[in-house]
Amino acid sequence: MTREPQILACSGVLYPPEGFTHAGVQIWQAMRLAEVPRPRVCLIATATGDAREQIDGWYGLVPKLGDAELSHLQLFTQPNVKDVRAHLLSQDVVFVSGGSVVNLLAVWRAHRLEEIMRECWEAGVVLAGQSAGSLCWHLGGVTDSFGDQLDPVHDCLGFLPFSNGVHDDLGDQPRRDTYRRLVGEGTLPPGYATEDGVALHYVGTRLHEALSVLPDRNAWFVERDGDGTSRETAVPARRWVP
């Protein structure tokens, strides 16, 4: 495999607009980044506790996005594949679902997936995911794993040298304000936030571009200002759909 290390860190589409017809398109984006005719794509739904409906939905949705060889890795109550490392290293894309990033990190570390995921990334497997599956690759971010009041999480995998804010324009939680406050006060390092439907495409540890499945959406680079506040720079997202 000769691909450079790539990560597609997505906010997902929590509130699709009326007439939205691109369900699962961020999975399609990750499949396209693999640049093979029939990618091998593995779902990891640890953040939902390997919810059966999440896994079943995966097998129902992804065949509509293109030809692919599909699998999933579940860790509850034990791994469903004999050799987790070999299975993941054989994939073209690993896609991580949303859910609880705190629980995801704890379970992955118990199963040594932190080491395996880094090995996959360095080998050119496209790592992708939504929400918790976006936060996990960064240094840290804002999570509702403990409650809707939102808390910082500092011990993500750190493959990417940035913090991450997801669902930046979510109306029912103050994610946008909380992320900027935590960066401004130095609780979180500088990083990138994504609005609904926006993904961050990293090549190596550099942001290559922001991608969106919805029109007129942005990512944001957020950094600490000198007076303890934050400043932000818009990163317009390129719309990329089938």
Side-chain angles (χ1 to χ4, degrees):
M1 190 178 297
T2 59
R3 289 188 295 265
E4 293 184 85
Q6 296 183 86
I7 290 176
L8 187 70
C10 316
S11 264
V13 183
L14 293 186
Y15 296 105
E18 186 176 354
F20 182 72
T21 58
H22 294 297
V25 73
Q26 290 180 322
I27 304 170
W28 172 87
Q29 290 175 344
M31 291 164 60
R32 290 292 299 273
L33 292 176
E35 298 183 322
V36 294
R38 189 171 189 263
R40 292 159 294 182
V41 189
C42 180
L43 170 71
I44 303 183
T46 314
T48 68
D50 290 331
R52 191 70 246 172
E53 60 268 26
Q54 181 86 34
I55 296 169
D56 291 345
W58 166 260
Y59 288 105
L61 173 64
V62 180
K64 301 173 185 177
L65 304 174
D67 191 21
E69 181 181 330
L70 301 182
S71 65
H72 71 280
L73 171 66
Q74 67 185 66
L75 300 176
F76 295 89
T77 54
Q78 61 182 231
N80 64 317
V81 297
K82 187 172 183 179
D83 187 331
V84 171
R85 177 180 176 274
H87 182 74
L88 294 181
L89 280 168
S90 73
Q91 303 303 303
D92 297 299
V93 178
V94 170
F95 198 91
V96 179
S97 77
S100 170
V101 69
V102 170
N103 291 350
L104 174 153
L105 291 168
V107 174
W108 279 13
R109 285 175 171 138
H111 285 266
R112 298 182 60 193
L113 253 68
E114 182 174 18
E115 303 165 24
I116 295 170
M117 288 296 193
R118 179 173 285 278
E119 192 174 356
C120 290
W121 177 56
E122 292 173 346
V125 178
V126 177
L127 303 182
Q130 296 173 338
S131 193
S134 172
L135 290 168
C136 64
W137 316 115
H138 295 81
L139 292 170
V142 175
T143 180
D144 61 0
S145 294
F146 300 108
D148 286 340
Q149 75 278 2
L150 303 177
D151 295 278
V153 56
H154 301 282
D155 61 343
C156 295
L157 300 184
F159 297 176
L160 302 168
F162 308 104
S163 63
N164 183 218
V166 295
H167 313 309
D168 200 50
D169 52 350
L170 187 66
D172 55 356
Q173 288 181 334
R175 286 181 178 266
R176 179 183 179 88
D177 292 342
T178 300
Y179 179 63
R180 284 153 180 76
R181 174 178 59 79
L182 292 171
V183 171
E185 67 188 23
T187 301
L188 290 174
Y192 292 95
T194 50
E195 296 177 353
D196 208 37
V198 176
L200 304 164
H201 177 210
Y202 295 95
V203 178
T205 58
R206 176 184 59 86
L207 180 67
H208 177 65
E209 66 176 332
L211 300 167
S212 181
V213 303
L214 299 172
D216 304 319
R217 299 297 169 108
N218 290 325
W220 298 89
F221 179 67
V222 181
E223 58 190 325
R224 193 177 186 184
D225 211 345
D227 60 359
T229 60
S230 67
R231 61 176 177 264
E232 63 182 21
T233 304
V235 182
R238 176 172 70 91
R239 190 165 184 248
W240 188 28
V241 296

